[in-house]
Amino acid sequence: MIGNGVPKLVQRGFNAVGVRPEPTQLDALVAIFVQEYRACATDNTRPYPGIVEALQEIHGMNIPMGVCTNKPEGFTWQILEGLGLSGFFSSVIGGDSTGSRKPDPEPLLACLRGLVAEPAFSLMIGDSVHDVQAARAAGVTVGVVPWGYRTAPVETLGADFVLHDPAGLPGMIRNAERVLQPTAH
């Protein structure tokens, strides 16, 4: 049921038990969900295996990192701080940070502006078709992971690569840096 925002999640949840809330009711139900979620956003949330170690290594390489999500920004910060991950990211853009959400490229471009990063020299790691579409529209190289929220097989999303093991990401970045470094004349 997860994906496409909180209103859709609440609607899907009620639909699953045979209740079809009216649009006017949905706003109130979403407000209740947000209040309840705020109280427990990190209760059952954990980084995937290998993620913290990969973030530590990339952070140690002085590579600026950001988060671009359709989750509301306040919840995103709450989760990052609650899991001890906020220090890795210098730019966080949520689904309510700009006038649009992924797959529109604007949130990703806003995240890159916060990192002072050029799209052509940036990498996005995502888990959905919305991530791939946003990256493509922004001119960003994109990899996808085989976990997360999606309805299609990860290999069909159209990414540049599938990242099966986060431990390999720092090495990929080092190799890309070597290729992109200007040559002396």
Side-chain angles (χ1 to χ4, degrees), residues 140-157:
V140 173
T141 299
V142 60
V144 291
V145 295
W147 55 82
Y149 307 112
R150 77 182 140 274
T151 56
V154 69
E155 294 80 13
T156 67
L157 300 182

Side-chain angles (χ1 to χ4, degrees), residues 1 14 18 20 31-32 42 46 53 55 57 65 75-76 110 112-113 122 125 130 139 141 148 160-161 163 169 177 179:
M1 292 187 195
F14 277 98
R20 306 277 186 260
I32 293 167
T42 58
R46 304 286 176 271
E53 296 81 4
L55 292 173
E57 193 170 343
M65 293 184 285
F75 287 140
T76 303
L112 293 175
R113 284 192 297 273
S122 299
I125 302 295
H130 294 300
T141 299
D160 295 302
F161 62 92
L163 180 67
L169 186 57
E177 281 185 314
V179 170

Side-chain angles (χ1 to χ4, degrees), residues 3-23:
N4 304 110
V6 171
K8 186 57 83 175
L9 171 63
V10 170
Q11 183 180 31
R12 287 174 180 158
F14 277 98
N15 290 348
V17 295
V19 176
R20 306 277 186 260
E22 296 294 323

Side-chain angles (χ1 to χ4, degrees), residues 79-154:
I79 291 167
L80 290 172
E81 289 168 1
L83 298 178
L85 302 175
S86 62
F88 292 120
F89 304 104
S90 52
S91 180
V92 175
I93 298 295
D96 55 355
S97 301
T98 67
S100 57
R101 298 165 31 109
K102 298 179 296 182
D104 189 290
E106 179 50 33
L108 179 54
L109 293 170
C111 187
L112 293 175
R113 284 192 297 273
L115 295 171
V116 191
E118 292 294 323
F121 299 103
S122 299
L123 169 65
M124 178 181 190
I125 302 295
D127 67 358
S128 73
V129 69
H130 294 300
D131 293 326
V132 173
Q133 290 171 343
R136 289 278 181 247
V140 173
T141 299
V142 60
V144 291
V145 295
W147 55 82
Y149 307 112
R150 77 182 140 274
T151 56
V154 69

